[in-house]
Amino acid sequence: MKVYLAGPEVFLPNAREVLDAKIALARRYGFTPVSPGDLEVTAYEFKRAHGLAISAVNEKLMLSAEMIIANLTPFRGIAADVGTVYELGFMCARGCPAYGFSNVAKTHFERLKGYYGGAVHPDAQGRPRGPDGLAVEDFDMADNLMLDGGIEARGGALVTREVAGDRLFLDLGAFEECLVLAARRLLASTAR
């Protein structure tokens, strides 16, 4: 089964090394991995054209895959990388099995409270709100409810762990746990 490996690792200074480690692990569990960065993208004179070319290549890779494992570790803020979120949604919309992981164990609500400096309070109806008046999700989920919900609706799992800050995008323990769960699911479906 081809698995699309989504995540912000492509932005790391050692991106190729980290992607190659993920690819090797996926192969060890019997999957054929496809990952952003796997295909060469023609360089264009204009930045926008180059960006659109990368987007097209990634969509082509996703269309070639039958499953996704998405790194949902908060990236440049309190939530998952927006590109990874798009990729997860793309694959969920195709009906593909979906798995996710985060190397931050705090829930989305806990991170939102931190964003607001702890100043989250219930409104008159009991709904939590930040000091800016915006409602705050409190569903005991790893990230936005649509991510957790999309993964669960497709029979997958969202694995969370707490790792040291300097290892957020290098520790592959939660990713490997996703591989174990996906391999078990695949084995169970072929045994029927």
Side-chain angles (χ1 to χ4, degrees), residues 95-155:
C96 297
Y99 294 82
F101 68 96
S102 175
N103 285 331
V104 172
K106 285 183 180 175
T107 66
H108 186 63
F109 178 68
E110 292 169 317
R111 295 191 312 272
L112 278 168
K113 278 183 13 183
Y115 171 80
Y116 285 122
V120 172
H121 304 287
D123 63 15
Q125 291 76 38
R127 187 166 186 187
R129 293 194 179 272
D132 53 11
L134 297 176
V136 174
E137 285 186 19
D138 185 8
F139 298 110
D140 195 28
M141 294 185 175
D143 211 298
N144 178 279
L145 63 91
M146 295 304 293
L147 305 185
D148 288 66
I151 290 168
E152 191 166 315
R154 279 141 196 92

Side-chain angles (χ1 to χ4, degrees), residues 5 10 12 19 29 35 60 73-74 78-79 110 121 131 142 146 156 161-162 164 167 180-181 187:
L5 307 179
V10 295
L12 297 174
L19 292 171
Y29 285 90
S35 173
K60 182 177 178 180
T73 302
I78 63 165
E110 292 169 317
H121 304 287
M146 295 304 293
R161 292 187 175 195
E162 192 64 37
R167 304 272 313 146
V180 168
L181 294 169
L187 185 61

Side-chain angles (χ1 to χ4, degrees), residues 74-98:
F75 182 70
R76 297 180 178 156
I78 63 165
D81 167 55
V82 68
T84 303
V85 170
Y86 173 86
E87 292 167 335
L88 177 60
F90 187 99
M91 295 297 282
C92 284
R94 291 184 53 223
C96 297

